[in-house]
């Protein structure tokens, strides 16, 4: 059956549901170029204003994931579980998490993305390791995964290509915040991985892509529902992004912190989120009976050194220099240093994640436009977080940078990330609600 873009745009504009056949035709025709960019931009705005019901969203996501190649992992023995984060400042969880999960016997494939704006990209962080490439062909992706039980892949242009085209239009037409379009964008790529289980880390708070808790929860529930509809056991956690996660914000410096975490020396907040997500991955894989047992397994994988050894082998398999695992000083490092100091004594009440993330981006650690290059050696080390007592003149953060003009432009802005009060703040929970597909109606 043949349709026209105009009739489908008008139908959605008027608040009517699109049939599965109409959606499948639309996505296919957009991928091939039959539906023009300006027509799909109009459809994106109609979806932004009118939304998609559950059937429409499931069909839309399915059409997106089948718009290009998909992975076939059926030949690999064992459960395959991945993790996805909606992004945050200092969020390097994927890097230590996957080796820990793999050391517990679960296959852990992942397709990582690049950073844009104040949230860093796992792919950029990994590629700060000299020689390491995440640009793997499908054959090479499968070879690393089958040999080592995990792989850090990069999102391919051939995987869900309709999503890449549509995202570019959404970015230029003010429709990025559309919840169904966000959910289908994330899940179409993850479902194309042929997974048995998926854990989602949905950030909320000042430094999150979706700061409003109610909207973040709605997004989490929507994505879990999509996973369930496509036969993939899915769990979403709502986690806080009011403050940066861990102590390091940048690229190479976050690899260093990831290595420390794999040695059992990572910061408490990063360790807690990694354990929570990893435990759920093991539960979805079916290898443990409860969360306590899962946490013990992950902790043993770190204490025994096996998780670090998995990381070393995968780094080498993907062309990276394994020596950095023993000596992180081999990673890129900016040559200039500066300090942010406390203007008064008291307790840190706020370390604003968004401000820190934007400052790191402006110093060169991230991209404000897709075509921007990044400096992997730029970083901000957070030395004072909410609840810490500081004295006037004490160092709040150490900054590594190259461009003096950039530092002068961002110095005062970064200093504004910290608020200091007379009394310690109330402790805020790091990990909030957990939504499981197995518990959904």
């Amino acid at each position: 059956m043949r349709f026209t873009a105009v009739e489908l745009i008008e139908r959605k504009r008027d608040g009517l549901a699109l049939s599965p056949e109409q959606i499948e035709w639309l996505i296919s025709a957009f991928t091939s170029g039959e539906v023009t960019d300006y027509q799909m931009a109009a459809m994106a705005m109609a979806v932004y204003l009118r939304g998609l019901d559950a059937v429409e969203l499931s069909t839309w996501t399915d059409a997106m994931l089948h718009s290009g190649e998909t992975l076939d992992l059926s030949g690999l023995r064992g459960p395959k579980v991945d993790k996805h984060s909606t992004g945050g400042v200092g969020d390097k969880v994927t890097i230590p998490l996957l080796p820990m999960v793999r050391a517990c016997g679960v296959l852990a494939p992942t397709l990582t993305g690049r950073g844009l704006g104040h949230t860093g990209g796992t792919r950029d962080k990994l590629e700060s390791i000299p020689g390491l490439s995440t640009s793997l062909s499908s054959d090479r992706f499968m070879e690393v995964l089958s040999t080592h039980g995990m792989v850090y892949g990069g999102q391919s242009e051939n995987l869900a290509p309709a999503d890449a085209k549509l995202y570019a239009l959404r970015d230029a037409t003010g429709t990025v915040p559309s919840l169904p379009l966000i959910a289908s964008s994330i899940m179409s790529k993850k479902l194309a991985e042929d997974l048995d289980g998926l854990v989602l880390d949905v950030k909320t708070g000042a430094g999150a892509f979706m700061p409003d808790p109610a909207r973040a929860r709605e997004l989490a529930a929507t994505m879990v529902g999509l996973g369930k509809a496509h036969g993939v056991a899915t769990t979403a956690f709502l986690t806080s992004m009011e403050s940066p996660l861990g102590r390091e914000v940048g690229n190479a410096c976050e690899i260093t912190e990831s290595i420390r975490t794999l040695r059992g020396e990572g910061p408490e907040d990063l360790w807690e989120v990694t354990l929570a997500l990893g435990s759920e991955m093991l539960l979805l894989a079916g290898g443990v009976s409860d969360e306590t047992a899962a946490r013990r397994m992950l902790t043993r994988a770190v204490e025994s050194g096996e998780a670090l050894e998995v990381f070393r082998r995968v780094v080498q398999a993907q062309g990276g220099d394994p020596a950095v695992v023993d000596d992180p000083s081999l990673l890129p490092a900016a040559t200039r240093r500066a300090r942010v100091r406390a203007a008064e004594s008291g307790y840190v009440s706020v370390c604003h994640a968004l401000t820190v993330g934007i400052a790191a981006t402006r110093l060169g650690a991230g991209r404000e436009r897709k075509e921007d290059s990044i400096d992997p050696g730029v970083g901000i080390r957070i030395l004072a977080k909410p609840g810490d007592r500081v004295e006037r003149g004490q160092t709040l953060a150490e900054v590594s940078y190259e461009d003096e003009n950039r530092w002068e432009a961002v110095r005062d802005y970064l200093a504004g990330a910290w608020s200091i009060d007379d009394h310690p703040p109330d402790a805020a929970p790091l990990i909030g609600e957990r939504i499981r597909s197995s518990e959904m109606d």
Side-chain angles (χ1 to χ4, degrees):
M1 184 177 295
R2 181 174 177 79
F3 307 98
T4 69
V6 172
E7 69 177 286
L8 301 190
I9 293 167
E10 290 174 342
R11 185 173 179 84
K12 180 47 63 180
R13 177 201 66 192
D14 295 339
L16 301 175
L18 300 176
S19 70
E21 293 79 14
Q22 289 171 329
I23 292 172
E24 289 164 1
W25 175 85
L26 176 71
I27 300 300
S28 176
F30 174 57
T31 305
S32 70
E34 182 179 352
V35 170
T36 65
D37 284 357
Y38 62 81
Q39 288 174 321
M40 198 61 175
M43 176 60 79
M45 183 58 73
V47 171
Y48 175 81
L49 295 172
R50 295 294 192 173
L52 297 172
D53 65 28
V55 174
E56 287 179 295
L57 181 56
S58 180
T59 305
W60 187 287
T61 303
D62 193 62
M64 296 276 279
L65 78 90
H66 286 110
S67 64
E69 68 178 25
T70 58
L71 298 175
D72 181 4
L73 307 184
S74 59
L76 300 178
R77 297 184 61 182
K80 299 164 284 290
V81 185
D82 191 10
K83 166 261 179 189
H84 176 82
S85 170
T86 56
V89 180
D91 181 10
K92 72 281 294 175
V93 171
T94 295
I95 298 166
L97 172 62
L98 264 62
M100 290 167 61
V101 170
R102 175 54 199 152
C104 295
V106 176
L107 295 172
T110 196
L111 295 172
T112 62
R114 300 208 181 275
L116 182 62
H118 73 278
T119 60
T122 299
R123 192 171 182 181
D124 297 315
K125 296 168 190 178
L126 287 164
E127 291 186 352
S128 69
I129 298 174
L132 189 144
S133 175
T134 59
S135 299
L136 308 177
S137 67
S138 296
D139 288 346
R140 183 60 182 152
F141 182 96
M142 291 298 297
E143 182 181 355
V144 175
L145 178 59
S146 60
T147 302
H148 300 285
M150 65 156 285
V151 60
Y152 297 115
Q155 292 172 356
S156 164
E157 293 180 358
N158 297 323
L159 191 79
D163 173 65
K165 291 186 67 177
L166 180 55
Y167 188 87
L169 294 181
R170 289 167 54 212
D171 195 37
T173 57
T175 56
V176 168
S178 169
L179 193 146
L181 295 182
I182 294 170
S184 62
S185 175
I186 293 171
M187 293 300 290
S188 62
K189 294 188 287 287
K190 287 300 174 182
L191 294 171
E193 291 183 48
D194 191 23
L195 300 170
D196 298 305
L198 175 63
V199 174
L200 302 166
D201 182 1
V202 180
K203 302 293 187 186
T204 184
F209 173 72
M210 191 163 284
D212 178 64
R215 289 275 291 168
R217 190 199 183 282
E218 186 180 0
L219 174 62
T222 299
M223 292 193 293
V224 170
L226 283 172
K228 182 175 183 178
H230 287 81
V232 176
T234 305
T235 299
F237 287 83
L238 294 175
T239 67
S240 175
M241 188 38 65
E242 293 291 346
S243 297
L245 186 62
R247 297 281 179 175
E248 303 285 354
V249 178
N251 290 287
C253 62
E254 291 194 43
I255 293 294
T256 298
E257 189 163 65
S258 297
I259 292 170
R260 290 205 303 267
T261 300
L262 286 168
R263 290 175 178 163
E265 303 165 358
E268 185 178 346
D269 58 348
L270 176 60
W271 178 248
E272 179 56 30
V273 173
T274 303
L275 269 187
L277 301 179
S279 297
E280 190 68 18
M281 291 175 74
L282 296 188
L283 287 168
L284 292 182
V288 291
S289 58
D290 56 49
E291 186 174 352
T292 300
R295 283 175 172 257
R296 281 200 300 264
M297 285 184 67
L298 291 164
T299 302
R300 282 198 302 268
V302 169
E303 292 175 344
S304 68
E306 179 58 25
L308 187 66
E309 185 57 33
V310 170
F311 180 69
R312 187 197 315 274
R313 292 195 295 263
V314 173
V315 165
Q316 186 169 20
Q318 295 190 215
D321 181 359
V324 302
V325 179
D326 298 313
D327 185 5
S329 69
L330 297 172
L331 291 163
T335 58
R336 298 172 185 252
R337 300 287 185 273
R339 294 174 182 267
V340 178
R341 299 185 185 276
E344 56 187 319
S345 299
Y347 293 91
V348 175
S349 58
V350 174
C351 178
H352 198 255
L354 178 60
T355 301
V356 174
I358 290 174
T361 297
R362 291 177 179 173
L363 286 169
R367 300 179 184 83
E368 297 184 79
R369 301 172 300 172
K370 290 183 179 180
E371 60 269 24
D372 289 347
S373 60
I374 64 169
D375 184 339
V378 167
I380 299 173
R381 176 174 296 168
I382 309 295
L383 298 181
K385 299 187 79 170
D388 292 344
R389 171 78 189 182
V390 297
E391 302 301 324
R392 181 184 174 126
Q394 183 174 331
T395 301
L396 302 175
E398 296 174 347
V399 183
S400 303
Y401 66 97
E402 290 291 353
D403 189 319
E404 192 67 37
N405 291 330
R406 287 192 178 203
W407 168 239
E408 290 299 326
V410 82
R411 178 201 298 265
D412 293 340
Y413 177 78
L414 177 59
W418 285 265
S419 296
I420 298 174
D421 292 335
D422 293 335
H423 304 285
D426 294 333
L430 181 61
I431 300 172
E433 187 177 0
R434 176 171 53 191
I435 305 170
R436 288 175 165 146
S437 57
S438 61
E439 298 170 356
M440 297 182 77
D441 293 333

